[in-house]
Amino acid sequence: MALPLPPGLTQPEVSFLAEMELVTIIPRQRLESVDLLSGKTPPLRPPQRAELPLWLALLLKKQRRANIVPPAWLHPSSLSEIIHRETKQDPEAFSAPPPPVSRAHPSEPGRARRLAESDANLSPPFQPSCTAEAPAGYLPYHWLEVAEALLAHAGDDMPVPAGEVRSLVRDLVEVRAAKMRSSTSALGSAEGFINLTGIGAMELAENRGFVTEVMDGVRKIGASAEATRREREEMGGGRDDEDESDEDMGL
């Protein structure tokens, strides 16, 4: 009999989904368009940049047929800025997700505006937030998975030694993990919720078990306190009834 799966996506499943994120490459060889389930890839013409899914970019990188351009948020200056923001400026909140993409308006050629919620329904995993044009200072939904994949397989494409970037990523992971653990203290307050705005997919998968266990513990404590309160009320009500009956009997 198969073991029951834990609720939510597992870490390998999150890593698999992250491979669909678009990244920017610089091809080293000509390659015609390829038909994929998501559509045709752009033809590769060196040295023109192109955007491909992460899994295909890593395959071409292993074959030495392309170089991967790391996104701006993976540069050391951007990671240092995010760490400073999460530790000094706002130590209780997570970094905001990337802003919506821009789109040129037909009535105003040459000018771009941010997409409003009424224009398109783009959730964080489906925004072009890992390409070379992605803004710095923001962490996309799959930031940790993409960073680990690029550092493992395209470390020589980093603007600085990969060890420096890997150290900053490790520091950022530790800061956000500690913040996630400390935020569970709000579950026992009157508000009773955790603000997860800006949290990543892998971080959710790693901390889901811990957070759910804390929530179950808080729920059990609350249920026990409620049961104790009801017992005290019932015992108090019984004593009042006994006193009234004694008064009626003239005792």
Side-chain angles (χ1 to χ4, degrees):
M1 183 178 65
L3 297 176
L5 295 176
L9 296 175
T10 62
Q11 298 179 25
E13 292 171 341
V14 172
S15 299
F16 176 77
L17 293 177
E19 293 182 355
M20 294 303 297
E21 287 284 340
L22 294 178
V23 296
T24 304
I25 69 166
I26 301 178
R28 304 174 65 179
Q29 296 179 2
R30 295 172 62 91
L31 182 65
E32 298 301 327
S33 179
V34 179
D35 290 330
L36 302 178
L37 294 177
S38 58
K40 290 186 177 181
T41 63
L44 304 183
R45 299 292 183 267
Q48 297 179 2
R49 295 185 176 186
E51 295 181 358
L52 295 177
L54 177 61
W55 67 268
L56 182 55
L58 294 177
L59 178 61
L60 296 178
K61 173 65 180 178
K62 293 178 181 179
Q63 296 176 352
R64 299 182 179 181
R65 303 172 68 179
N67 293 331
I68 301 177
V69 181
W73 53 264
L74 196 53
H75 289 211
S77 58
S78 176
L79 293 175
S80 300
E81 176 188 352
I82 296 174
I83 293 176
H84 176 74
R85 186 192 310 146
E86 294 208 0
T87 55
K88 303 297 182 181
Q89 296 181 0
D90 196 355
E92 296 183 358
F94 297 95
S95 298
V101 295
S102 300
R103 176 181 295 175
H105 198 273
S107 61
E108 300 177 353
R111 298 183 60 184
R113 61 184 178 89
R114 295 291 183 189
L115 285 177
E117 295 182 357
S118 58
D119 295 334
N121 185 14
L122 295 178
S123 58
F126 300 101
Q127 292 185 3
S129 53
C130 296
T131 61
E133 288 74 20
Y138 299 94
L139 293 179
Y141 189 61
H142 289 292
W143 74 273
L144 183 55
E145 307 91 280
V146 175
E148 290 180 346
L150 294 182
L151 289 172
H153 304 288
D156 55 336
D157 290 336
M158 295 293 164
V160 297
E164 180 179 351
V165 180
R166 188 176 290 107
S167 178
L168 290 172
V169 171
R170 188 181 304 111
D171 294 342
L172 184 56
V173 170
E174 293 177 356
V175 168
R176 291 167 67 90
K179 191 177 300 186
M180 171 72 78
R181 290 191 296 268
S182 62
S183 63
T184 55
S185 60
L187 294 175
S189 62
E191 297 178 354
F193 73 92
I194 303 177
N195 186 6
L196 299 181
T197 303
I199 202 70
M202 184 59 72
E203 294 169 305
L204 286 175
E206 292 177 348
N207 294 278
R208 179 179 288 108
F210 171 74
V211 174
T212 53
E213 288 180 2
V214 172
M215 293 178 63
D216 291 340
V218 172
R219 189 180 299 110
K220 291 178 181 178
I221 294 175
S224 177
E226 180 66 19
T228 304
R229 185 185 63 82
R230 290 182 178 178
E231 290 179 359
R232 290 178 179 176
E233 291 180 352
E234 292 176 357
M235 292 177 63
R239 290 176 181 176
D240 294 340
D241 294 340
E242 291 178 359
D243 295 341
E244 292 179 358
S245 61
D246 293 340
E247 292 177 358
D248 295 338
M249 295 175 63
L251 298 177

